[in-house]
Amino acid sequence: MTPVTSPATGPTASGPSAVPAFAVISGAQVRQALHGREKEIVELVEAAYRLHGEGRTVNPPSYFLRFPDRPTSRIIALPASVGGEVGVDGIKWISSFPDNVASGLPRASAVLILNDHATGYPFACLESSIISATRTAASAALAADRLTRTRERPRRVGFFGTGLIARYIHTFLAGTGWSFDSVGVYDVSADSAAGFCGYLRQAGAGSPGGTAAEVTVHDSPEDLIRSSDLVVFATIAGTPHVTETSWFDHRPVVLHVSLRDLDPRILLESANFVDDVEHCLKADTSPHLAEQLTGGRDFLDGTLDDVLTGRVRPPADRTVIFSPFGLGVLDLAVGKYVHDEIARAGELHVIDDFFHELRRYG
């Protein structure tokens, strides 16, 4: 592989389209390009949401590859296209194998393919578990900020599920200026909860200034939820397991990132926002179950883009739930950013002669 400053993409000066070079970007390079840039990435994700809201993206339904012999596992394909200044097409291919955790491997692994806007040729393959976690966390941090502007900013955060996504969400909250008096933790795995607490202690837990927050590991979901004004669900649950509507009587803001934790009756008593209506109301997510229960979508108050543009104002006197299905356009926006940063640094690793049959008739 040859390090180069940037690949040749798009039309040449003489008119015909050049064949792009093909680069492979490792997880270490991805992390280097993204580390410490939480505010910038949240702004990037917000811009992608706005492009999506303006109809300047293409985001088809995700395709789920499931296995009869491995019912808990799946691989998902997320094709997408982003217009505007991003100008890239591509696909994320992400697997979720929960049994990996027992053997010490992360549950999720992924790659992202970026395709040249002019020729359709793929020009980069990026390790994408970090990109996926980053865009998820940036989306959650953006939603937390915009959905709490009509109420007192939460000072008590609770994490229900303490894996990689929870860690990234906390990192992005801290990196975008959030400060907490207390951090609640709950996980069905005591080891996972302990590991997350170790991360919180190392990170300073409370604020960008390093002020230590009180960290509490809760014995029950009820205790966690009732003691938190901002609740983050980041589990691998396949069906709703939180059923008591009274646990939300204090009207928290809920980042329902894992999508299938909440009984639909909880949604029906709350204000609900999603990233994309058609994408979120499928695959037996909690919003999808609420639609099936009621026969309609009147329980939805809007999308995050509706909030960003001011078309909808989140209520201060009800529980507010954000349920993001996860849009491929966000992966592309973050992936293109990573590619361009590494290209500017002159550290792209290009596969020489990756494309071979370049003459139509040999």
Side-chain angles (χ1 to χ4, degrees):
M1 293 189 294
T2 304
V4 298
T5 301
S6 62
T9 61
T12 65
S14 59
S17 295
V19 174
F22 186 78
V24 174
I25 298 174
S26 70
Q29 289 180 299
V30 171
R31 186 182 185 280
Q32 180 182 5
L34 296 175
H35 182 66
R37 299 182 180 181
E38 290 84 9
K39 291 182 180 179
E40 189 174 355
I41 300 304
V42 169
E43 292 172 357
L44 181 75
V45 165
E46 178 177 352
Y49 271 128
R50 290 180 180 271
L51 285 172
H52 187 64
E54 295 166 2
R56 300 172 69 187
T57 65
V58 182
N59 205 106
S62 303
Y63 182 83
F64 287 71
L65 177 61
R66 300 186 184 274
F67 314 98
D69 61 329
R70 292 158 287 165
T72 63
S73 301
R74 66 191 183 194
I75 307 180
I76 311 172
L78 288 81
S81 175
V82 184
E85 294 182 359
V86 180
V88 70
D89 312 320
I91 188 168
K92 179 173 74 170
W93 182 239
I94 181 166
S95 65
S96 174
F97 280 55
D99 290 347
N100 284 352
V101 177
S103 60
L105 284 175
R107 171 186 60 86
S109 58
V111 294
L112 178 70
I113 300 294
L114 301 181
N115 292 76
D116 180 60
H117 208 59
T119 66
Y121 270 77
F123 63 86
C125 175
L126 300 84
E127 194 286 331
S128 197
S129 64
I130 296 172
I131 290 172
S132 187
T134 295
R135 64 84 151 148
T136 300
S139 170
L142 176 64
D145 175 48
R146 294 309 183 98
L147 294 175
T148 59
R149 290 191 176 185
T150 56
R151 62 178 69 200
E152 185 176 350
R153 195 170 175 91
R155 300 288 303 178
R156 304 179 301 166
V157 63
F159 288 89
F160 196 130
T162 56
L164 177 73
I165 297 300
R167 173 162 61 87
Y168 268 75
I169 290 174
H170 179 271
T171 298
F172 266 78
L173 289 171
T176 52
W178 283 81
S179 178
F180 300 105
D181 297 328
S182 66
V183 180
V185 176
Y186 176 79
D187 199 292
V188 295
S189 166
D191 289 343
S192 294
F196 188 66
C197 288
Y199 152 75
L200 291 173
R201 287 191 294 270
Q202 185 178 14
S207 73
T211 303
E214 180 183 0
V215 177
T216 302
V217 178
H218 292 276
D219 294 328
S220 71
E222 179 180 3
D223 289 344
L224 175 86
I225 293 168
R226 287 188 182 275
S227 64
S228 304
D229 304 314
L230 178 66
V231 184
V232 180
F233 283 93
T235 75
I236 57 172
T239 57
H241 54 97
V242 176
T243 60
E244 293 296 329
T245 59
S246 63
W247 295 357
F248 299 84
D249 284 347
H250 59 301
R251 303 186 298 275
V253 171
V254 179
L255 304 178
H256 188 206
V257 175
S258 37
L259 283 177
R260 296 173 177 85
D261 302 274
L262 301 179
D263 187 281
R265 293 171 298 173
I266 295 173
L267 274 66
L268 297 181
E269 294 193 8
S270 307
N272 293 279
F273 296 88
V274 298
D275 51 359
D276 183 281
V277 175
E278 296 301 328
H279 282 77
C280 195
L281 272 66
K282 67 170 64 171
D284 290 332
T285 63
S286 294
H288 187 205
L289 296 178
E291 179 187 33
Q292 295 175 46
L293 184 63
T294 62
R297 299 177 173 181
D298 291 343
F299 67 93
L300 292 178
D301 291 70
T303 65
L304 182 56
D305 183 62
D306 289 329
V307 176
L308 295 175
T309 57
R311 291 189 294 267
V312 178
R313 184 176 172 85
D317 58 351
R318 299 174 65 195
T319 296
V320 172
I321 300 175
F322 176 56
S323 299
F325 194 79
L327 301 179
V329 296
L330 303 184
D331 295 281
L332 288 187
V334 175
K336 182 62 161 48
Y337 171 89
V338 168
H339 171 272
D340 291 350
E341 285 297 303
I342 294 172
R344 274 192 284 271
E347 297 176 354
L348 278 179
H349 294 290
V350 171
I351 307 297
D352 296 323
D353 300 321
F354 183 80
F355 299 106
H356 180 64
E357 289 287 354
L358 299 177
R359 295 180 180 272
R360 187 173 183 181
Y361 299 109

